[in-house]
């Protein structure tokens, strides 16, 4: 087994060190292990693997959600969210800073992508908040933190990828992520209230009068939220209402996004071309990663790698909670070098059997994986949310990391809370899906 593990890590890191794409590196590692340590005819088995994995029904939802996100990125949804939410956010301590959290939560329920959520919400809110005189520290930090909700609040591209690799129901994962997503958003808003109450200069003096806005004006502002509510109804409403599978709901979301884009006159022939190219490029990268991870998972299972590693970890006699803490630290370290999809692809074949042996449910672990991937989004140097915010604000990575630190610590504490009380995650599937 020592030779197999040496070959596994040697091949994988060797391929990555020469700049090979992560998906191709995973696939090449799987083929190399098969040829070195088994008598499996990889040239015959590989086409079968490719067909079985790429025709997985749940995987159909992934390109559809990506396409929907490409459409929404080119609409005026960010301006509509700000104008619709600002009058109501003004009632809370911290005022318009809550638009970052609420806006990201709403867009997360549409797009399924953390980077897209940060980009769409941030390009409107950040400029407006800084123009009005809000503290850059809390404005930028709250956006970076809340932007990660794009992976936790369903639909989620990360959940689809995990569901395919772990052979778990995507609908069950979507249902499990909703309550933790809403709770984490509420904790973010709670921190903003506490932070701004202790540092009143973070909110400009004039903004404190927002709470005196006439109620009629607040109601009138809600009309600007119709595109977001319409899309949430198309996607989440159809799924949770039992009218559509995740793949069918994704197709409805694409149609809904197209309707919104046409109603806002946001489409041109150039933008349609950009949407198509962007969707194809993103889906191609994701597809190669999923394929490589699936083939590697099958080969390592044949070689007995997961069982050997699980036996080694069991020998440490870690409690279930300590195991989760160790895994969280491991993923935080990996998050400094790998983006979220790559982290899942490279570790899941080995880690999943360990956590199942420790008594954790696969659905619960899926939400854990989503949370640690979210942390990777705000863990430099590989931090996609930082790249988006840097593009908007031109601030340094070090500065963004500093102001985002409270939200990273909140997410770490929240993850431990879910480990202590797993029913927070599992109650959704039990109530809605009867299991």
């Amino acid at each position: 087994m020592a030779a197999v593990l040496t070959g596994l890590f040697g091949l994988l890191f060797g391929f990555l060190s020469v700049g090979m794409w992560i998906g191709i590196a995973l696939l090449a590692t799987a083929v190399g292990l098969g040829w070195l340590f088994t008598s499996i005819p990889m040239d015959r088995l590989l086409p079968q693997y490719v067909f079985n994995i790429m025709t997985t029904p749940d995987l159909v939802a992934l390109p559809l959600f990506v396409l929907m996100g490409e459409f929404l990125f080119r609409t005026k949804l960010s301006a509509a969210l700000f104008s619709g939410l600002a009058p109501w956010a003004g009632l809370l301590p911290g005022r318009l800073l809550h638009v970052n959290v609420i806006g990201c939560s709403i867009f997360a329920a549409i797009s399924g992508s953390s980077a897209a959520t940060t980009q769409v919400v941030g390009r409107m809110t950040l400029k407006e908040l800084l123009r009005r005189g809000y503290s850059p520290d809390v404005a930028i930090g709250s956006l970076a933190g809340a932007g990660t909700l794009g992976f936790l609040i369903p639909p989620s591209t990360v959940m689809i990828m995990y569901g395919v690799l772990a052979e778990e129901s995507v609908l069950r994962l979507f249902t499990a992520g909703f309550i933790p997503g809403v709770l984490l958003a509420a904790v973010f808003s709670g921190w903003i209230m506490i932070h701004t109450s202790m540092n009143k200069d973070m909110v400009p003096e004039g903004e404190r009068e927002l709470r005196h806005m006439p109620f009629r004006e607040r109601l009138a502002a809600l009309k600007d939220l119709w595109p977001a509510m319409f899309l949430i109804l198309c996607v989440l409403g159809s799924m949770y209402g039992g009218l559509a599978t995740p793949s069918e709901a994704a197709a409805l979301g694409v149609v809904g996004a197209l309707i919104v884009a046409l109603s806002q006159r946001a489409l041109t022939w150039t933008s349609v071309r950009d949407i198509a190219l962007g969707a194809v490029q993103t889906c191609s990268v994701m597809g190669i990663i999923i394929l490589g991870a699936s083939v590697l998972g099958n080969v390592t299972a044949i070689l007995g790698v997961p069982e050997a590693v699980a036996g080694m970890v069991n020998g440490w006699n870690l409690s279930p909670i300590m195991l989760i803490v160790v895994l969280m630290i491991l993923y935080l370290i990996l998050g400094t070098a790998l983006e979220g999809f790559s982290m899942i692809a490279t570790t899941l074949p080995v880690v999943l059997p360990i956590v199942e042996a420790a008594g954790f449910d696969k659905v619960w672990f899926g939400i854990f994986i989503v949370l640690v991937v979210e942390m990777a989004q705000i863990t430099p140097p590989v931090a996609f949310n930082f790249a988006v915010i840097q593009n908007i604000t031109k601030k340094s990575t070090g500065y963004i990391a500093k102001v985002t630190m409270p939200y990273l610590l909140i997410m770490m504490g929240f993850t431990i809370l879910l480990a202590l009380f797993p029913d927070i995650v599992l109650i959704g599937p039990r109530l809605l899906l009867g299991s």
Side-chain angles (χ1 to χ4, degrees):
M1 185 52 63
V4 173
L5 290 174
T6 302
L8 169 62
F9 291 109
L11 287 171
L12 181 57
F13 289 113
F15 289 134
L16 292 176
S17 66
V18 297
M20 188 177 289
W21 288 356
I22 182 70
I24 301 297
L26 291 168
L27 192 58
T29 301
V31 173
L33 286 177
W35 277 336
L36 287 172
F37 299 105
T38 74
S39 58
I40 298 173
M42 294 301 296
D43 55 332
R44 298 180 183 179
L45 199 59
L46 196 58
Q48 181 181 338
Y49 275 152
V50 172
F51 179 80
N52 290 341
I53 295 163
M54 292 293 101
T55 56
T56 303
D58 285 339
L59 201 57
V60 175
L62 188 59
L64 290 171
F65 280 126
V66 170
L67 181 58
M68 182 174 66
E70 290 288 338
F71 271 116
L72 295 178
F73 179 69
R74 290 161 178 83
T75 64
K76 302 172 184 175
L77 197 60
S78 59
L81 283 174
F82 189 90
S83 58
L85 294 173
W88 298 94
L91 294 170
L92 301 172
R95 309 303 174 217
L96 299 189
L97 292 168
H98 295 282
V99 174
N100 274 343
V101 177
I102 303 171
C104 285
S105 301
I106 291 175
F107 193 79
I110 301 169
S111 72
S113 167
S114 174
T117 298
T118 305
Q119 176 93 1
V120 171
V121 176
R123 67 181 179 183
M124 178 65 191
T125 61
L126 267 192
K127 292 179 181 179
E128 186 65 18
L129 290 172
L130 297 179
R131 184 188 68 80
R132 289 171 177 251
Y134 283 85
S135 166
D137 290 6
V138 69
I140 293 172
S142 61
L143 175 66
T148 63
L149 295 170
F151 282 152
L152 184 56
I153 296 177
S156 165
T157 53
V158 170
M159 288 183 190
I160 294 172
M161 181 179 183
Y162 173 85
V164 171
L165 295 179
E167 298 181 354
E168 183 56 69
S169 164
V170 172
L171 180 58
R172 208 173 297 279
L173 290 166
F174 281 1
T175 307
F178 187 79
I179 292 176
V182 172
L183 288 177
L184 184 57
V187 175
F188 285 159
S189 278
W191 168 247
I192 289 173
M193 293 184 201
I194 294 170
H195 197 190
T196 54
S197 296
M198 293 189 301
N199 303 274
K200 295 188 181 298
D201 58 333
M202 289 184 163
V203 178
E205 186 71 32
E207 295 292 278
R208 296 170 193 169
E209 300 305 317
L210 285 171
R211 63 182 181 274
H212 301 305
M213 178 183 290
F215 186 70
R216 183 182 302 174
E217 292 183 23
R218 297 186 200 278
L219 284 178
L222 292 177
K223 71 179 186 301
D224 293 323
L225 297 180
W226 81 262
M229 297 300 106
F230 169 67
L231 291 170
I232 290 174
L233 183 64
C234 287
V235 179
L236 296 186
S238 62
M239 275 195 299
Y240 294 151
L243 302 176
T245 65
S247 298
E248 292 165 345
L252 287 173
V254 172
V255 174
L258 177 60
I259 292 172
V260 170
L262 289 173
S263 69
Q264 296 180 344
R265 298 181 179 179
L267 292 182
T268 64
W269 286 114
T270 301
S271 65
V272 170
R273 181 201 63 193
D274 292 341
I275 288 168
L277 288 175
V280 168
Q281 290 170 351
T282 302
C283 293
S284 298
V285 172
M286 289 181 176
I288 293 172
I289 291 175
I290 291 172
L291 175 62
S294 297
V295 176
L296 182 59
N298 279 283
V299 172
T300 54
I302 292 171
L303 293 171
V305 172
E307 291 81 1
V309 175
M312 181 180 66
V313 173
N314 288 336
W316 298 347
N317 294 319
L318 296 174
S319 67
I321 296 300
M322 280 307 301
L323 174 62
I324 291 302
V325 172
V326 169
L327 287 176
M328 185 166 61
I329 294 171
L330 169 66
Y331 278 112
L332 281 173
I333 295 171
L334 289 176
T336 63
L338 297 173
E339 49 79 32
F341 287 101
S342 302
M343 282 202 312
I344 297 176
T346 53
T347 60
L348 196 61
V350 175
V351 171
L352 185 58
I354 297 173
V355 296
E356 284 191 285
F360 288 101
D361 185 272
K362 276 205 297 185
V363 171
W364 182 91
F365 187 64
I367 303 306
F368 169 84
I369 282 286
V370 171
L371 281 166
V372 294
V373 168
E374 287 184 340
M375 295 179 203
Q377 295 291 107
I378 52 176
T379 307
V382 180
F384 283 166
N385 283 21
F386 284 12
V388 171
I389 293 173
Q390 274 187 303
N391 187 50
I392 298 172
T393 63
K394 312 303 179 187
K395 298 285 188 180
S396 68
T397 299
Y399 171 80
I400 300 174
K402 182 187 71 173
V403 300
T404 308
M405 183 57 66
Y407 301 89
L408 177 61
L409 295 175
I410 286 171
M411 293 169 68
M412 293 173 66
F414 189 77
T415 303
I416 299 298
L417 178 69
L418 295 188
L420 292 171
F421 303 99
D423 279 347
I424 296 174
V425 172
L426 300 176
I427 192 172
R430 287 174 187 161
L431 291 176
L432 294 180
L433 303 179
S435 63

